[in-house]
Amino acid sequence: MSDSEEQNITHTPPKKLLPKIFSDSNIASKISCGRTKAEAIVQNLLGPKAEEIIVNALQNISYFSVATDTSNKGNRKMYPIVVQYFCLQTGCQIKLLDFFEQACETADGISNSVLSTLEKYNINMSKVSAFSADNTNSNFGCRRSAFTLLQSHNKNIFKSGCFSHVVLNTFRKALDGLDFDVETLVLKIYAHFSVSASRREDLKEFVLYAELECQELVKHCPTRWLSIGPAVQKILKFYPALISYFISLGEDCPNQLTKLLFFEEDDK
């Protein structure tokens, strides 16, 4: 394939979504709905309708819980307000009630976000049965937190922290009993190959020699701690090839990786 042909393919606009999804529909095949029209439909029709359904459901039930957590998009901090409730017809429901930008991540800012959202939709705070968020002091501190501030408006509210973070802290505490740091090992191995195309090609030779399928290593991001699982699994899959590769480096093998990968030999 020539460079001009590859460039034409790269710049070829994608097919419209609806004709692609509903390929057997004559009506959908005639609908031209690009980004601008789709955005207008979501913002002016689908979004308000979904919002109306959630608000009506909340006004017709006795209790529901509220959950929130900040999400960074560049230098902007976004706040989702999620509600969970039980409906006799549809069962347990988890719905996104609101999503907005809020720069303040303090206890007052978080509690005001929840209160202003409920006030916006004319929902009484007395219906809130629980508040769920991650286990930071700003959310669940004993003296002044989002929970204590919300509790001043509804003394019967329960707190529901993030159990996944509790499991993570337990896991990290258990790792302290090992002779090496798993997280450091994952980060160092990925960094070794991510900065050099030649190292990546050298590793491929060892992978093929071990009769394994060539795949990319998985990057672990400490702030996205669930990523360590897939990263460790991929290292274990390529472990024979990785060990052979680092042994072949001899004295050129980074000291930290030598200590982490061959700690048993060092002990001897």
Side-chain angles (χ1 to χ4, degrees), residues 247-267:
I247 289 176
S248 70
L249 295 181
E251 295 181 354
D252 294 330
C253 182
N255 290 333
Q256 287 185 313
L257 284 176
T258 300
K259 294 178 180 178
L260 290 170
L261 290 170
F262 311 113
F263 65 97
E264 292 182 352
E265 296 181 6
D266 293 342
D267 292 341

Side-chain angles (χ1 to χ4, degrees), residues 208-234:
L208 293 174
Y209 182 79
E211 298 182 350
L212 298 172
E213 181 183 356
C214 289
Q215 295 179 0
E216 296 293 335
L217 293 173
V218 176
K219 182 179 180 181
H220 166 55
C221 180
T223 57
R224 298 290 182 267
W225 44 271
L226 288 177
S227 64
I228 193 171
V232 170
Q233 290 176 355
K234 190 58 66 73

Side-chain angles (χ1 to χ4, degrees), residues 182-196:
V182 175
E183 193 167 13
T184 300
L185 177 64
V186 171
L187 294 172
K188 290 295 182 182
I189 290 178
Y190 181 85
H192 180 81
F193 295 103
S194 65
V195 297
S196 173

Side-chain angles (χ1 to χ4, degrees), residues 173-186:
K173 186 65 177 178
L175 287 180
D176 291 340
L178 297 179
D179 295 327
F180 63 98
D181 188 341
V182 175
E183 193 167 13
T184 300
L185 177 64
V186 171

Side-chain angles (χ1 to χ4, degrees), residues 22 61 77 80 83 88 93-94 115 142 161 173 183 186 189 192 199 222 235-237 240 242 248 251-252 254 261:
F22 307 106
I61 61 177
K77 193 171 292 294
V83 296
L88 290 175
Q93 300 292 306
I94 301 176
L115 293 172
C142 297
K173 186 65 177 178
E183 193 167 13
V186 171
I189 290 178
H192 180 81
R199 293 175 183 173
I235 289 176
L236 291 176
K237 184 176 182 178
L242 286 168
S248 70
E251 295 181 354
D252 294 330
L261 290 170

